[in-house]
Amino acid sequence: MYKYVIGVVIVATLSFPAHAEEFSGPFVGTGLTFDNYSGSGDAEGIGGVSGIGGTAYAGYDYKINDRIFIGAEANADFASADADVVGIPVESEWGWGVSGRLGYKINDKTALYTRAGYARQRVQLDGEKFWLDAIRYGGGLETFISDKIAVRAEYSQFNAESNVTNNQVTAGLLYRF
């Protein structure tokens, strides 16, 4: 599946015109996620717990110069990575986060970016619900397919308390105002 997402991004990068003010101003978007949870220490039994989810996000980018931009983004994620760990049901429900982005335009319509931020994930463990706090970091590629619409491919890692890690891959579509 990832080969197809990368292929679409490459084709879009090479074939569509874009307008003059990319990567500047407000945007909203949505996407599909693939989440893969693992654990260490006390959470050692959590390994290879995967699921498909969704995300919605909104943010603002500020152009520093012709190539570099910074931005802020808020997101809400809906996950389906559920498992039975040593006979105990674990369900990943939903989460939210805020992060900052630093990007570099590799051409007029495409940029690479890194991100770092904070995230919370609601989890149900054997019927009891609680929140995991996490540090998020990652990076991605964003490219315009029209004047206001862009596609995004991204990898993020969420390092949560309780020794739980989520490796998330996202394919997204966004609209810039």
Side-chain angles (χ1 to χ4, degrees):
M1 177 175 158
Y2 304 116
K3 294 185 286 186
Y4 300 112
V5 171
I6 292 169
V8 168
V9 170
I10 290 170
V11 169
T13 301
L14 300 174
S15 61
F16 291 100
H19 71 72
E21 287 298 315
E22 289 84 5
F23 308 104
S24 181
F27 61 88
V28 295
T30 188
L32 290 175
T33 64
F34 175 77
D35 297 280
N36 181 271
Y37 289 87
S38 61
S40 61
D42 293 340
E44 188 69 40
I46 300 173
V49 178
S50 301
I52 302 295
T55 186
Y57 47 89
Y60 190 92
D61 287 331
Y62 177 77
K63 192 166 110 176
I64 301 287
N65 62 33
D66 288 341
R67 293 276 180 210
I68 299 172
F69 65 92
I70 60 172
E73 187 173 299
N75 69 288
D77 288 345
F78 305 94
S80 67
D82 301 335
D84 188 15
V85 179
V86 198
I88 300 171
V90 179
E91 296 179 31
S92 176
E93 294 182 349
W94 69 281
W96 60 269
V98 292
S99 59
R101 298 193 323 154
L102 173 63
Y104 180 80
K105 289 173 55 175
I106 56 178
N107 63 38
D108 285 342
K109 58 192 169 192
T110 304
L112 295 170
Y113 61 89
T114 61
R115 86 162 56 248
Y118 168 79
R120 291 198 87 192
Q121 179 72 39
R122 186 168 172 171
V123 177
Q124 188 173 158
L125 177 65
D126 201 20
E128 183 181 340
K129 296 181 181 186
F130 62 95
W131 289 93
L132 289 176
D133 295 306
I135 300 297
R136 176 185 188 181
Y137 58 89
L141 176 78
E142 188 173 308
T143 189
F144 280 83
I145 59 174
S146 74
D147 284 351
K148 296 193 179 269
I149 297 174
V151 293
R152 171 188 286 190
E154 178 177 297
Y155 167 80
S156 289
Q157 186 173 84
F158 299 81
N159 289 320
E161 60 190 344
S162 305
N163 300 315
V164 176
T165 301
N166 178 18
N167 293 292
Q168 183 184 78
V169 177
T170 303
L173 181 67
L174 62 96
Y175 178 82
R176 289 199 175 261
F177 297 95

